[in-house]
Amino acid sequence: MTYTIKRTFAIFFLAIFGSALLYNCEPDPDTLGEQLFSDGAAQGNEKSFEVIGFNIDNHDSIRSDASKLTSAALGAFKEGQFGMQRASYITQLRLSSYNPDFGTNAQVDSVVLVIKPTYSSDSLTTTTDENYVYPDGNVDAKKVVNTYPVNKYGRAKKQMTLQVNEVLDFLNSPTDSVKSNKTYAINPTPLATKVFNGKVSTVTITKDSDASSLFATTTPAIRLQLSPSFFQSKIIAMKGKPELQDASNFIRYFRGLRISVLEDDGYLMQISPNDMELIMYYKSDKTENGTTTRAQTTYAFALGSANAHIGQYEYDRSASAVDNAKNSGLIGNRSTGDPRLYTQGMGGNSMGIKIPDATINELKQLYQNNKAAIISAKVRIYTDTNDWNQNSYAKPTAFTIIQRYIDRKDNNKLKFGFTSDLTDIAGSNNFAIYKSFDLDKSQAYYEFTVTKSVKDLVEKSDSEVDKALQYFKIDMGSFLTTSTGALAGFQFTSRAYARERAVFIGNDTANANRISLRVIYGTK
């Protein structure tokens, strides 16, 4: 049974496209050549050709600054094929108003960091405490907690210990480029440590007397209690000082927070950087009609898009299959290909696909001698049942494919960009960047559309092609879109925080399911 993946977006790149891209499992040719079938004008043939699949070693590093983190990864996961991967998250914070007045004799009660991961909204558990006593004033109340499991990649039943530390290095601007393996000095004394059970919740507290609200949260989240004494000395005690006068001073004084996990095995979750909250609860003197009371006030720090956000990733590949393959010279062979393709998000390997001269020449012979016109061309790759499918991890469903090419209009410079299929035929019927098959079976496979790219190689001379194809590059993650639905650009993807990984069959000559180019061509 084939799963259906549907995505709809428009593409604006060199020209404007306004079409729907449907990820489906119908074996239809692309519209580029479907007219050849009209009125019996041509006979369709399908044939498999050799391609070269190779691992691209990204050295476990990727840009993971604010411009790349629509979401962020947090957690740790270890397994035999790819080794250990730990993801931490670093953020700046700013004052919501500068030169704040916290009142007289201000004293911090508590500080709460709110982290909002993705969660399973259809798995709700509700608990109700009818005898709850609200601590501020000892008010008789009812407490209702709605709980949801977070979306996990890895060992779902593991607990993990979350920790928050102060960052001691200046994080620069949110527009600065940062790599995921960059290290930062942190204060070793944690501001918070919490054993996380993998669930998030909302809380509603109402008075028994009149059912009025005493406390309510609307978004399921992880809530960590940070050190009140730290914020007393770091913030409240600095009232009126230059450090709190403006943003420039403040981000050099209080440089940021790092959220991490202590374990090296568990799961990876995704969080929303711009939706995090940091709330300080404090009391100060309030005098009215000669009477002084201690009124509670809240102060919210700004953790949103104005700040630097950084994904920090650590790896331990020792004794893993990908490390053994690398040490054995089975990674990065661009002449004959690699037997296994270890593709992983967040800085792991990419997959390179090269169409060899022998395949191009064979297709040219068909074109020239048999008048065979290419109707559809797909690169097909299978997951490896021996090395990957013995586990319970979900098959990946999000990929990007771009091309490496020589730009003949720009002094033959080597560049990356969208494939010719995305820029030229994305608006055609039946077009899909890729299609997924048999995701519910032990061995899945995927087909990536390269019709226009292959037609250019076969049916055009070198002088007729502005972008001379070198190879395709496939990564985990999706292309990101703008608010209008247009692709933001080939370099804007979710790869920087994509948790998925899989082992695919490359150029294993003994395996019938090795990587291949599947071509449908028509002859009159």
Side-chain angles (χ1 to χ4, degrees), residues 369-391:
N369 299 336
N370 298 353
K371 307 300 181 185
I374 294 171
I375 298 163
S376 173
K378 319 274 188 185
V379 172
R380 180 181 289 186
I381 55 171
Y382 285 83
T383 56
D384 181 34
T385 53
N386 293 327
D387 293 333
W388 188 247
N389 293 60
Q390 303 304 317
N391 57 53

Side-chain angles (χ1 to χ4, degrees), residues 14 49 72 129 132 174 229 245 333 353-354 385 390 448 473 495 510:
L14 300 180
F49 296 86
D129 184 353
Y132 182 75
S229 61
Q245 294 294 320
N333 188 327
I353 299 170
K354 182 180 178 181
T385 53
Q390 303 304 317
F448 293 83
K473 178 172 173 280
R495 178 180 158 225

Side-chain angles (χ1 to χ4, degrees), residues 114-117 119 124-127 143-150 194 196-204 215-223:
V114 182
I115 304 171
K116 300 176 182 177
Y119 61 94
L124 168 65
T125 301
T126 300
T127 58
K143 181 179 181 180
V144 179
V145 179
N146 290 324
T147 303
Y148 309 83
V150 301
K194 177 179 181 176
F196 178 56
N197 65 0
K199 298 177 181 179
V200 291
S201 60
T202 60
V203 180
T204 303
F215 180 83
T217 59
T218 57
T219 303
I222 305 168
R223 294 170 176 83

Side-chain angles (χ1 to χ4, degrees), residues 322-339:
V322 67
D323 190 53
N324 292 337
K326 185 176 181 179
N327 294 335
S328 301
L330 300 177
I331 295 289
N333 188 327
R334 302 191 182 194
S335 298
T336 59
D338 299 330

Side-chain angles (χ1 to χ4, degrees), residues 29-42 375 455:
D30 300 314
T31 300
L32 188 64
E34 69 179 3
Q35 66 273 12
L36 296 173
F37 287 120
S38 300
D39 302 320
I375 298 163
K455 284 179 72 68

